[in-house]
Amino acid sequence: MKSLEFFKPALATTLAIVLASLLSVRPAQAGYTVTLQQVGPDVVATGGGAIDLTGLTFSGGVGLGAYYTGHTIGPTSFGGFPLSSSVITVSSGNFARIATTGIYGFRLRVPAGYVSGTALSGSLTYGSASLATLGVTPGTYVWKWGTRANQNFTLQIKTPLPGSTAIWYLNNNAFVAGTSAPTLPANWIVVGVADFNGDSQSDYLLYNVSTRRTAVWYLNKNVFVAGAFGPTLPAGWRVVGVADFNGDSQPDYLLFNASTRQTAIWYLSGTTFVSSAFGPSLPNAWDPVAVGDFNADNKPDYLLYNAGTRQTAIWYLNNNMLTGGAFAPTLPANWRVVGVADFDGDGRPDYLLFNSTSHQTAIWYLSGPTLVGAASGPSIASGYTLVGAADFNADGKPDYVLLGPSVQ
């Protein structure tokens, strides 16, 4: 995965957007368009079109990128874009971006060697993110630096629509059967799975990407039973996982703030917030991606991921206190951890991996932080994404939770 750079001008009017672009040979389109939308627990940017560089000033090149500056007609804000490259989990092609300031007009980065008017296309995934955590506002934004067809840049930030869910029942890595599950309201996504009401049935933890409120949907296998609102998250924080950190048999929230690198645990009784405590802060380039008990002490641990090196690591915790750490397996390109669960019944959590490009799944069997085996799981149908694993049919074996196409 190539590294990303971000412009950080001092002015409050700074705009920044990062997108993935791949050179192709199809005919040029009318300008360049980026669509930014929620896809399951992630935000995905897809871009297509062409860029006419006429009238822009070449300002240098670094690595694989070439930079151009100019003056633009367009909006001065779309809500900001406060991200670091560590949030990017899957990308295709080369990167292109535009940043707009009150002084320089804008600065555009295109792939090195880019020929003006050549078509671009590609996609970029911000793992475990939402429009709220990215700080963007839904709408259509257009910037122009000339009157020709390809002298414009369009950003479409889509309001999340209701999304369907599904559950695939598995026996270890083998697909057994699939069934539809509840359809989510607009703006809500699944961010965790746990038994919140003590009925030995897995429930959905939902998050509203507009209001930052959480909610729990109680399920009986794949059937919606009831729902309850949970606490609202402060700005800049997201739910990483759900586990019982204080040993009261109630699932708690693990939160992370990508800007400050802080973690926090919110202790809950059902859906009611009880108290909170800061957990350890993470070093730069490392993000928490899941929670599991990796050293069999009945206490949840952090699973960390470094998007630059693709390495994983485990931080062992006692409640909210760091007690140790160990490096864990390095993931292949385009694969990411979407959950941990005990798939082979040995009492130890395994990695559930997903490749959003090929739609393949895989299970990596672990003994603590050590990889001991691997197996392919079922491939996910186009239009669906894998968001986690839990036992929904009470057979003691983890099942897949899928988010399906939006319901119009």
Side-chain angles (χ1 to χ4, degrees), residues 6-9 11-18 72-82 97-102 105-107 135-136 141-143 153 155:
F6 287 81
F7 297 120
K8 296 182 179 178
L11 294 179
T13 56
T14 297
L15 303 177
I17 179 166
V18 182
T72 183
I73 299 174
T76 59
S77 174
F78 55 87
F81 210 79
R97 71 187 180 197
I98 188 170
T100 313
T101 72
F106 73 91
R107 192 180 187 194
V136 298
Y141 306 88
V142 181
W143 295 268
F153 188 105
L155 171 62

Side-chain angles (χ1 to χ4, degrees), residues 193-206:
V193 183
D195 178 12
F196 280 88
N197 57 351
D199 65 353
S200 300
Q201 299 276 352
S202 296
D203 308 308
Y204 286 175
L205 174 60
L206 305 183

Side-chain angles (χ1 to χ4, degrees), residues 38-89:
Q38 193 79 44
V39 180
D42 309 320
V43 173
V44 177
T46 56
I51 300 174
D52 184 344
L53 300 175
T54 303
L56 303 182
T57 302
F58 177 71
S59 60
V62 177
L64 299 177
Y67 296 89
Y68 292 83
T69 58
H71 295 281
T72 183
I73 299 174
T76 59
S77 174
F78 55 87
F81 210 79
L83 286 182
S84 67
S85 61
S86 62
V87 183
I88 299 161
T89 54

Side-chain angles (χ1 to χ4, degrees), residues 355-373:
N355 186 319
S356 60
T357 301
S358 66
H359 293 277
Q360 292 177 303
T361 70
I363 298 165
W364 278 14
Y365 304 107
L366 276 75
S367 176
T370 304
L371 178 66
V372 296

Side-chain angles (χ1 to χ4, degrees), residues 342-354:
D342 180 13
F343 283 89
D344 58 355
D346 67 350
R348 295 181 178 272
D350 309 306
Y351 289 0
L352 172 58
L353 305 182
F354 179 55

